[in-house]
Amino acid sequence: MIMSCGRTRRLLWPEAGPREATAEVVAAREHAAGCEACRRFLDDMEQIGERVGRIALRPTAPAEVRDRLFKAIARARTATGGPPRATRLRQLFIAGVAALLFVGLSWLGYVTIRGESGATDELGPIVEDQLRAQKGAGLASSDSLQVAQWLGERLPFAVQVPIFPEARLTGARLLVYNRQAGAVVEYLVQSRVLTYYVLPGGGGGFARQVQLASRDGYRVASWHDAGLTHALVGTLPGPKLVEFARYCMHQMMATQVTSPRSGSSA
Ligand SMILES: [Zn+2]
């Protein structure tokens, strides 16, 4: 199997701990072992993850760097090998990205909590999770049934893995907080990461209107359904994210028709 640099990096990062050694993952590891650019990319990403973890223990940094966060995320997520550079410069770059990532996400959490009345507590863990995105066991797969099954074996509630026409499923992880587990499903839309969260909490009722919190092109579209909070997080334009959210809800309603749930008359 011939692996491109891009495919290798998408398969191997975020580092998701021990994962199923599919033929693709094996081929990606073989590629990374022999490709200096990919090895450096994965080393850099690992360092960024470690530094974010360390910075997370410190108070927040100055406000003026916040607006640069989202570019930094984009760079970290889609960084290409490029020509070799001075190690010192790369170290500075990594430190800078890690700092921006942390500060910006703290700030995003603040805005999200301030900006939404009903969805406050449930979105906090999403922000926390972004800091730990490189850690924790996960599954790299583009097969929605396999991903749904993997989540189903690990969560006390069923998670539907929505299919979006323009998005490619890349895998799933668990998000554990307050001794409860939630689902994190990741997609690529063109080259942008789109993350779908399903977390316990949010009350027993329905709040199917989509709440949109946004800043600098980075957005959270969230809604509640039957005791679960759903959220789509990404750098896509707001209307696109809302459209995807509606897509999610429709797919869920379509399958709920056959489930024995009662009390749905309106
Ligand atoms: Zn490569």
Side-chain angles (χ1 to χ4, degrees), residues 19-163:
R19 66 180 78 190
E20 199 185 344
T22 62
E24 265 196 321
V25 168
V26 169
R29 283 182 181 142
E30 278 168 8
H31 172 102
C35 174
E36 200 197 327
C38 282
R39 256 201 331 269
R40 191 187 310 128
F41 170 83
L42 294 168
D43 285 350
D44 284 357
M45 293 304 110
E46 195 181 322
Q47 282 193 51
I48 287 170
E50 282 170 12
R51 284 173 196 245
V52 166
R54 261 181 270 141
I55 292 168
L57 302 171
R58 290 189 227 145
T60 50
E64 60 264 28
V65 294
R66 288 170 184 163
D67 286 343
R68 286 155 57 199
L69 160 75
F70 297 109
K71 278 178 195 161
I73 290 178
R75 244 181 274 134
R77 286 268 185 184
T78 60
T80 50
R85 291 179 191 173
T87 303
R88 178 70 186 149
L89 275 178
R90 282 201 312 123
Q91 298 266 329
L92 285 173
F93 171 73
I94 288 164
V97 169
L100 286 171
L101 201 57
F102 174 70
V103 170
L105 288 169
S106 308
W107 178 84
L108 177 69
Y110 173 76
V111 163
T112 302
I113 286 161
R114 282 274 303 273
E116 304 203 8
S117 50
T120 54
D121 295 331
E122 297 79 26
L123 294 182
I126 291 172
V127 175
E128 286 172 31
D129 176 68
Q130 296 284 328
L131 297 173
R132 294 190 300 255
Q134 291 90 346
K135 308 200 169 169
L139 170 76
S141 171
S142 59
D143 179 337
S144 60
L145 282 179
Q146 189 188 13
V147 169
Q149 190 179 11
W150 187 88
L151 289 168
E153 286 164 0
R154 288 161 177 81
L155 290 169
F157 51 88
V159 176
Q160 282 214 298
V161 176
I163 296 165

